[in-house]
């Protein structure tokens, strides 16, 4: 074989390498494997082109060019072959007799195709043999050291490398030349690396480039193995956990089956998760519930924290997050329900119907909260129940009487033992819907102490602009209260804090007249108590005189609560009588109740009907007062005695009432020489002491409306002129004798009616309030409108004996 050396450029770049030009064309043998120098591979040739090429190589000295390809060996063109391959030699060959040849071929050096010669049977090529780069410097030494280091790491992590290759790589040392090192490593990695990567190594002619390429391959493979190991570890752990859980669940089912329990039922944790997802909570609440459920799974079952978390999740899932009732508001039906449930109360009913009409039009009313204010027993709570019935809402009641802890409204934080949500959240859970009618009863009875002010906490609850994000301290998530219809009740308006009162629309529900009480007893209370006590409604009759006797002699109230109680007492005694008749087999007779039989059943009358004085008296004037229980009649007494001109006040009077008495005395002294009703010498006031007493001394009394009554009583005591017994009065007095308007006119007038007092003095400015008095009441009374004290004395004091 004739060879000659020359220097040839590899490409247009500045890199050059020495080549040896082979003058004889070499047969080209395509291969799916990459042949490296110093590598021996056994081949089996059966295709016609391969057999012809190997025979030609054997006949011409045994040399050939092996070029790798990515295409199918059966249909190859020169463009399908890589440009750089391996100049090789046939070491041994055997003719198998069936036209195929087995041969051992070894790689000698890299070679580059110059051009191809197309034969009829196989492909030939003129090539340039690329000798090995024998350069050696510090950089190459460092690259060799790095390559050896990464090779060691590679061998520690690789698993699918053949044993022969693994052992061969293990024996490699840094004593080999860079060319031998790279060729040996490439030879052993031939079965491991992708053919594309093998070809890149083969084409790296420069030794530094080849070393760097192998280092990159090792580093990349090490990283891949590391990631695979991590993934495999995670998968193994996950699969192991799943298998363990599956095994334990199966064991648990078997144990439950042995215990006679249904293994198909969900576990507590699975059941809780299902309930959380089914509750349709807000996103914030669901996230919180699932987070607490994960905590519950990780805590030992014997831990005290388990009960706390379980209780918290139970509260979250039991709240009506997405449950609501259909609000079907029919104004005619609502009016019918209000008339069925309540007699009289025309103004409150009218305002309620207006409220419901607006609610129907806007669907979601962001308006004032209704507040029913009135004496006990007038029907405030039952009105709220009727509204709930008319709107189709669930009804829930919360009594605020005696509440003094802010946590009652907002709940306790979960850090406390036995903590619970506030009563607002408890009420919604009880209502089982997110849009109930929520009655806050006795809102005027709240108080405050060192634990906070519950009325301040109610400000958020009753504010339509804020309550859509009400946050209970226990739940720690927002709950929307904007769909809840809040109604509050109270007995005394002044006891409701002003900021809270500002958020509510006040609807005053005054006391009932005697006529209204009579009708309520006939239409509602008597049928109810007859049924409750097992009496025949048809055969038990209350006469009008019986009802009026109960109202006048056994009750004295603005509402009808005690009236119902006394009727119930009568029914129980009648029931006892009926049972005795059955036992003695007496013939069944109807029971008719009159005033006499009522007194026999109820005993001695508790009140004297008509509290007016029986005769005109000196120093005694009848006043009218407004209390939490409605209107009431006060007999104010005044007397004089020798002294030094002092004023004594008794009867547990408040500061305002005491100041009114002092103002009245100052008025009297200033008018001593002016008014004919007084006409007293000035020294009278320095020689006499005046004592004013208001009976029922254990009951606190306050307010300015008794001013004219105390002035009248003092004038009567000083002048020894009697006051009319059939005259009641109310009004505030000033130092100049002006009579100022007062409140609670209707309640006070009803109290006068109950006391059978026909003449009433009221301030001139209260004339407008007389429109609230029922016509049947106005007919019975004479109203005297006054604007100064002179007129009061003219009307009340009897000048001639």
């Amino acid at each position: 074989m004739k060879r000659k050396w020359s220097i040839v450029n590899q490409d247009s770049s500045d890199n050059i390498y020495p080549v040896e030009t082979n003058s004889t064309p070499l047969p080209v043998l395509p291969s799916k494997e990459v042949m490296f120098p110093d590598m021996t591979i056994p081949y089996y040739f059966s295709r016609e082109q391969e057999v012809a090429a190997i025979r030609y190589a054997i006949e011409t000295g045994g040399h050939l060019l092996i070029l790798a390809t990515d295409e199918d060996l059966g249909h190859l063109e020169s463009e399908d072959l890589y440009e750089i391959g391996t100049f090789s030699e046939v070491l041994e060959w055997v003719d198998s007799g069936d036209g195929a040849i087995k041969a051992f071929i070894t790689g000698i050096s890299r070679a580059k195709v110059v051009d191809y010669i197309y034969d009829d049977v196989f492909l030939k090529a003129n090539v340039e043999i690329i000798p090995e780069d024998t350069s050696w410097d510090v950089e190459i030494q460092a690259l060799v050291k790095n390559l050896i280091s990464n090779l060691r790491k590679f061998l520690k992590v690789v698993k699918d490398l053949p044993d022969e290759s693994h052992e061969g790589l293990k024996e490699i040392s840094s004593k080999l030349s860079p060319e031998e090192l790279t060729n040996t490593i490439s030879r052993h990695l031939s079965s491991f690396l992708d053919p594309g990567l093998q070809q890149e190594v083969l084409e790296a002619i420069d030794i530094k480039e080849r070393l760097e390429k192998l280092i990159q391959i090792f580093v990349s493979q090490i990283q891949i193995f590391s990631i695979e190991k991590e993934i495999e570890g995670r998968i193994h752990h996950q699969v192991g956990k799943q298998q363990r859980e599956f095994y334990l669940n199966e064991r648990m089912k078997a144990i439950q089956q042995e215990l006679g329990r249904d293994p198909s039922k969900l576990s507590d944790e699975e059941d809780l998760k299902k309930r959380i997802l089914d509750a349709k909570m807000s996103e914030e609440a669901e996230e919180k519930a699932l987070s607490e459920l994960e905590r519950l799974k990780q805590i030992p079952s014997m831990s005290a924290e388990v009960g706390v978390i379980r209780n918290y999740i139970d509260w979250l899932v039991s709240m009506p997050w997405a449950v609501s009732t259909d609000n079907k508001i029919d104004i005619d039906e609502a009016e019918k329900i209000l008339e069925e449930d309540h007699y009289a109360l025309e103004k409150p009913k009218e305002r309620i119907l207006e409220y419901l009409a607006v609610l129907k039009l806007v669907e979601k009313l962001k308006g004032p909260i209704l507040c029913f204010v009135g004496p006990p027993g007038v029907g405030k709570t039952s009105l709220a129940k009727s509204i709930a019935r008319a709107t189709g809402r669930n009804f829930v009641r919360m009594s605020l009487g005696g509440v003094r802890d802010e946590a009652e409204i907002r709940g306790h934080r979960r850090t406390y033992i036995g903590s619970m949500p506030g009563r607002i959240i408890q009420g919604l859970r009880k209502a089982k819907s997110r849009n109930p009618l929520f009655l806050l009863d006795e809102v005027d009875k709240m108080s405050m102490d060192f634990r906070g002010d519950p009325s301040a906490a109610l400000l958020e609850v009753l504010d339509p602009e804020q309550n859509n994000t009400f946050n209970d301290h226990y739940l720690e998530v927002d709950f929307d209260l904007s769909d809840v219809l809040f109604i509050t009740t109270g007995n005394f308006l002044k006891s409701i804090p002003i900021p809270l009162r500002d958020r509510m629309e006040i609807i005053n529900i005054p006391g009932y007249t005697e006529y209204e009480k009579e009708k309520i007893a006939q239409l509602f209370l008597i049928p109810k108590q007859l049924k409750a006590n097992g009496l025949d409604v048809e055969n038990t009759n209350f006469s009008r005189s019986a009802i009026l006797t109960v109202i006048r002699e056994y009750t004295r109230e603005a509402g009808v609560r005690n009236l119902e109680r006394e009727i119930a007492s009568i029914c129980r005694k009648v029931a006892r009588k009926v049972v005795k008749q059955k036992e003695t087999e007496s013939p069944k007779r109807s029971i008719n109740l009159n005033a006499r039989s009522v007194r026999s059943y109820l005993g001695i009358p508790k009140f004297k009907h008509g509290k007016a004085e029986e005769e005109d008296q000196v120093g005694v004037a009848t006043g009218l007062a407004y209390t939490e229980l409605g209107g009431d009649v006060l007999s104010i007494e005044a007397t004089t005695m020798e002294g030094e001109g002092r004023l004594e006040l008794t009867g547990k009077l408040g500061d305002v009432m005491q100041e009114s008495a002092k103002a009245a005395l100052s008025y009297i002294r200033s008018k001593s020489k002016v008014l004919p009703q007084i006409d007293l010498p000035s020294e009278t006031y320095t020689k006499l002491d005046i004592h004013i007493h208001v009976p029922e001394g254990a009951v606190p009394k306050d307010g300015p409306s008794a001013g004219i009554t105390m002035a009248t009583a003092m004038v009567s005591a000083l002048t020894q002129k009697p006051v009319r017994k059939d005259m009641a009065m109310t009004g505030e007095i000033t130092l100049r004798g002006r009579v100022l308007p007062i409140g609670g006119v209707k309640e006070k007038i009803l109290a006068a009616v109950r006391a059978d007092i026909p003449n009433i003095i009221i301030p001139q400015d209260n004339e407008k309030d007389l429109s609230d008095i029922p016509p049947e009441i106005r007919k019975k009374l004479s109203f005297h409108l006054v604007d100064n004290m002179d007129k009061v004395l003219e009307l009340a004091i009897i000048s001639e004996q």
Side-chain angles (χ1 to χ4, degrees):
M1 183 173 60
K2 185 177 179 183
R3 299 179 183 178
K4 61 180 180 178
W5 289 96
S6 63
I7 301 298
V8 178
N9 287 334
Q10 181 184 5
D11 49 32
S12 60
S13 67
D14 295 335
N15 295 327
I16 60 173
Y17 50 86
V19 299
E20 180 183 357
T21 303
N22 191 72
S23 58
T24 305
L26 295 177
V28 176
L29 187 64
S31 174
K32 299 292 286 183
E33 299 178 13
V34 178
M35 170 73 82
F36 288 97
D38 300 329
M39 181 178 181
T40 301
I41 298 178
Y43 282 95
Y44 179 80
F45 303 108
S46 59
R47 293 186 182 85
E48 181 183 357
Q49 296 89 340
E50 295 173 339
V51 172
I54 195 68
R55 287 187 183 279
Y56 178 79
I58 293 169
E59 292 171 358
T60 57
H63 297 125
L64 70 162
L65 179 66
I66 296 180
L67 294 176
T69 180
D70 297 328
E71 305 299 329
D72 184 13
L73 295 177
H75 304 84
L76 286 176
E77 301 291 339
S78 59
E79 293 80 5
D80 298 330
L81 302 172
Y82 286 107
E83 186 180 359
I84 293 179
T86 306
F87 175 67
S88 305
E89 182 179 2
V90 180
L91 296 180
E92 295 180 9
W93 62 277
V94 176
D95 191 343
S96 59
D98 56 357
I101 293 177
K102 296 178 181 178
F104 282 92
I105 301 176
T106 185
I108 299 174
S109 64
R110 289 169 175 77
K112 180 182 178 183
V113 176
V114 176
D115 55 30
Y116 288 103
I117 300 171
Y118 294 94
D119 192 278
D120 293 338
V121 183
F122 60 90
L123 193 62
K124 299 177 185 177
N126 289 314
V127 302
E128 293 174 345
I129 310 249
I130 306 169
E132 296 293 348
D133 185 357
T134 57
S135 59
W136 184 268
D137 55 25
V138 176
E139 185 179 356
I140 291 176
Q141 290 180 15
L143 289 170
V144 168
K145 187 175 181 180
N146 192 298
L147 177 61
I148 296 288
S149 174
N150 282 290
L151 172 62
R152 301 287 182 250
K153 294 178 184 177
F154 171 78
L155 291 174
K156 288 180 181 179
V157 298
V158 69
K159 293 181 180 179
D160 48 355
L161 193 67
D163 293 341
E164 182 183 351
S165 298
H166 196 280
E167 291 299 323
L169 290 171
K170 216 169 157 188
E171 298 295 329
I172 291 176
S173 69
S174 56
K175 295 180 179 179
L176 297 174
S177 67
E179 298 80 11
E180 293 174 333
L181 180 64
T182 56
N183 289 338
T184 304
I185 291 175
S186 300
R187 182 173 75 246
H188 287 300
L189 291 178
S190 60
S191 61
F192 178 79
L193 293 180
D194 180 82
L197 281 176
Q198 296 181 46
Q199 183 64 31
E200 289 179 16
V201 175
L202 182 67
E203 292 180 356
I205 306 303
D206 184 74
I207 189 61
K208 293 180 183 178
E209 181 185 354
R210 201 182 312 161
L211 288 167
E212 289 176 354
K213 191 68 181 175
L214 285 172
I215 290 171
Q216 289 175 6
I217 290 173
F218 282 136
V219 170
S220 174
Q221 291 299 319
I222 290 169
Q223 289 178 347
I224 290 172
F225 286 135
S226 176
I227 294 171
E228 287 180 349
K229 187 176 181 181
E230 184 180 343
I231 294 172
E232 183 182 354
R234 284 204 306 265
I235 294 174
H236 179 75
H237 176 72
Q238 189 174 358
V239 171
K241 185 179 179 182
Q242 290 175 349
Q243 289 176 342
R244 181 171 175 271
E245 287 179 356
F246 175 78
Y247 171 75
L248 291 175
N249 284 331
E250 291 299 316
R251 287 289 300 273
M252 194 178 297
K253 288 179 183 178
I255 292 170
Q256 288 176 344
Q257 204 164 8
E258 287 296 321
L259 293 173
R261 300 173 185 168
D262 186 0
S264 63
K265 289 184 179 178
L266 296 175
S267 67
D268 285 349
E269 292 173 359
E270 291 172 338
D271 180 57
L272 275 178
K273 186 170 184 179
K274 183 176 183 300
R275 289 171 63 195
I276 290 170
L277 297 177
D278 291 344
K280 297 180 181 178
M281 307 178 188
S282 63
E283 185 177 345
E284 177 193 14
E286 184 172 303
E287 183 180 345
K288 181 75 173 175
L290 292 174
S291 172
E292 291 296 318
L293 182 60
E294 288 302 315
R295 280 188 62 206
L296 183 64
K297 292 179 181 178
Q298 297 169 9
I299 295 175
S301 59
M302 299 301 292
S303 172
E305 190 73 11
V306 170
V308 175
I309 297 176
R310 177 61 187 264
N311 192 45
Y312 174 72
I313 296 175
D314 282 339
W315 269 104
L316 280 178
V317 299
S318 63
M319 291 300 296
W321 298 95
V323 181
S324 59
T325 54
D326 294 332
N327 297 328
K328 298 178 180 179
I329 301 176
D330 186 332
I331 297 300
D332 293 334
E333 182 66 21
E335 186 174 4
K336 181 181 176 184
I337 290 172
L338 289 174
E339 292 296 336
E340 285 178 357
D341 295 348
H342 300 87
Y343 183 81
L345 304 178
E346 299 305 325
K347 281 197 172 182
K349 287 179 184 176
E350 183 181 351
R351 180 61 187 90
I352 290 168
L353 292 173
E354 291 170 359
Y355 184 83
L356 295 179
V358 175
L359 186 62
K360 181 174 183 179
L361 290 177
V362 300
E363 293 185 358
K364 194 168 184 178
L365 183 61
K366 283 194 173 183
I369 308 299
L370 296 184
C371 178
F372 300 147
V373 176
V378 295
K380 300 183 295 295
T381 302
S382 59
L383 266 177
K385 290 181 179 178
S386 298
I387 295 173
R389 183 177 155 207
T391 56
R393 294 172 182 253
N394 295 336
F395 177 80
V396 60
R397 174 182 170 272
M398 169 184 170
S399 178
L400 295 172
V403 172
R404 61 181 64 191
D405 187 356
E406 183 225 0
E408 291 281 340
I409 307 299
R410 288 187 176 276
H412 299 82
R413 299 193 184 277
R414 285 195 291 148
T415 51
Y416 300 107
I417 297 174
S419 57
M420 292 283 286
R423 295 175 66 184
I424 299 293
I425 293 298
Q426 292 183 37
L428 288 172
R429 183 190 191 186
K430 182 180 178 182
K432 298 180 180 178
S433 66
R434 65 194 304 268
N435 63 336
L437 188 147
F438 206 121
L439 177 65
L440 300 173
D441 212 0
E442 310 295 350
V443 73
D444 59 328
K445 303 297 191 302
M446 288 185 295
S447 57
M448 59 180 292
D449 60 9
F450 64 93
R451 290 169 291 188
D453 184 0
S455 66
L458 274 181
L459 295 178
E460 179 188 2
V461 175
L462 298 182
D463 192 338
E465 300 297 329
Q466 299 180 43
N467 62 11
N468 60 333
T469 55
F470 175 70
N471 194 292
D472 186 272
H473 288 162
Y474 182 84
L475 293 186
E476 297 178 342
V477 293
D478 292 341
F479 193 91
D480 187 1
L481 299 180
S482 61
D483 290 330
V484 179
L485 180 56
F486 286 103
I487 292 179
T488 64
T489 70
N491 298 130
F492 204 54
L493 186 60
K494 290 183 179 179
S495 299
I496 303 174
I498 293 176
L500 190 59
R501 197 190 314 166
D502 183 59
R503 282 166 168 76
M504 302 184 292
E505 178 175 345
I506 308 301
I507 297 179
N508 286 298
I509 303 179
Y512 295 112
T513 65
E514 185 178 277
Y515 176 77
E516 289 170 344
K517 288 183 179 180
E518 181 187 342
K519 289 297 182 183
I520 292 170
Q522 288 177 348
L523 299 175
F524 300 97
L525 303 182
I526 292 174
K528 176 183 175 183
Q529 290 303 322
L530 290 176
K531 184 178 180 181
N533 289 279
L535 297 174
D536 189 349
V537 178
E538 300 295 331
N539 294 323
T540 307
N541 302 309
F542 278 77
S543 67
R544 184 170 183 270
S545 63
I547 297 173
L548 290 175
T549 300
V550 177
I551 294 172
R552 292 173 176 174
E553 299 181 10
Y554 295 92
T555 65
R556 191 175 295 278
E557 58 178 345
V560 292
R561 192 167 290 156
N562 286 326
L563 176 59
E564 182 177 9
R565 194 173 290 121
E566 297 299 334
I567 291 173
S569 178
I570 294 171
C571 290
R572 288 194 298 271
K573 296 183 186 315
V574 171
R576 179 182 176 186
K577 184 177 180 180
V578 169
V579 171
K580 282 189 174 181
Q581 285 180 356
K582 288 183 178 179
E583 288 176 353
T584 57
E585 297 183 356
S586 301
K588 188 176 182 181
R589 295 179 298 175
S590 61
I591 300 171
N592 297 306
L593 297 168
N594 53 31
R596 184 177 178 182
S597 57
V598 164
R599 292 190 185 98
S600 68
Y601 286 137
L602 297 181
I604 300 171
K606 299 176 182 178
F607 304 98
K608 182 180 178 183
H609 178 61
K611 202 174 180 181
E613 298 297 330
E614 295 181 356
E615 58 184 20
D616 303 329
Q617 296 187 47
V618 174
V620 179
T622 304
L624 299 173
Y626 175 69
T627 70
E628 295 180 11
L629 303 178
D632 201 359
V633 174
L634 294 177
S635 291
I636 297 179
E637 301 174 350
T639 188
T640 59
M641 63 204 82
E642 292 184 4
E644 300 174 352
R646 291 180 300 176
L647 176 64
E648 187 74 25
L649 301 169
T650 58
K652 206 167 186 180
L653 308 184
D655 291 341
V656 176
M657 200 166 181
Q658 292 182 33
E659 291 172 359
S660 294
K662 293 173 184 177
L665 180 58
S666 297
Y667 161 78
I668 294 169
R669 293 181 66 176
S670 67
K671 296 290 185 177
S672 290
K673 295 297 182 179
V674 178
L675 293 177
Q677 292 90 346
I678 303 177
D679 193 20
L680 293 172
S682 57
E683 61 270 14
T684 303
Y685 303 103
T686 59
K687 294 180 180 180
L688 293 176
D689 287 344
I690 302 174
H691 185 172
I692 296 177
H693 177 70
V694 182
E696 298 183 17
V699 180
K701 308 166 192 72
D702 204 0
S705 64
I708 65 173
T709 312
M710 290 189 289
T712 302
M714 283 191 285
V715 169
S716 174
L718 288 167
T719 62
Q720 293 298 301
K721 295 177 182 178
V723 180
R724 290 175 58 180
K725 67 177 184 296
D726 60 347
M727 182 74 72
M729 61 192 75
T730 179
E732 180 180 354
I733 189 174
T734 69
L735 288 173
R736 293 178 295 165
R738 292 177 57 219
V739 179
L740 302 182
I742 40 78
V745 173
K746 183 178 180 181
E747 288 78 5
K748 293 177 179 179
I749 291 173
L750 293 179
V753 172
R754 287 195 295 269
D756 202 17
I757 301 175
N759 296 290
I760 300 174
I761 298 174
I762 62 172
Q764 180 76 47
D765 291 340
N766 285 116
E767 183 179 7
K768 63 183 183 300
D769 296 316
L770 296 179
S771 60
D772 294 335
I773 309 301
E776 65 272 12
I777 299 296
R778 289 204 300 267
K779 291 177 182 178
K780 298 178 181 178
L781 302 174
S782 294
F783 296 100
H784 305 276
L785 305 174
V786 298
D787 58 4
N788 62 77
M789 188 65 201
D790 303 352
K791 184 68 172 175
V792 175
L793 295 176
E794 222 177 275
L795 292 168
I797 299 292
I798 301 174
S799 300
E800 298 179 2
Q801 294 290 345

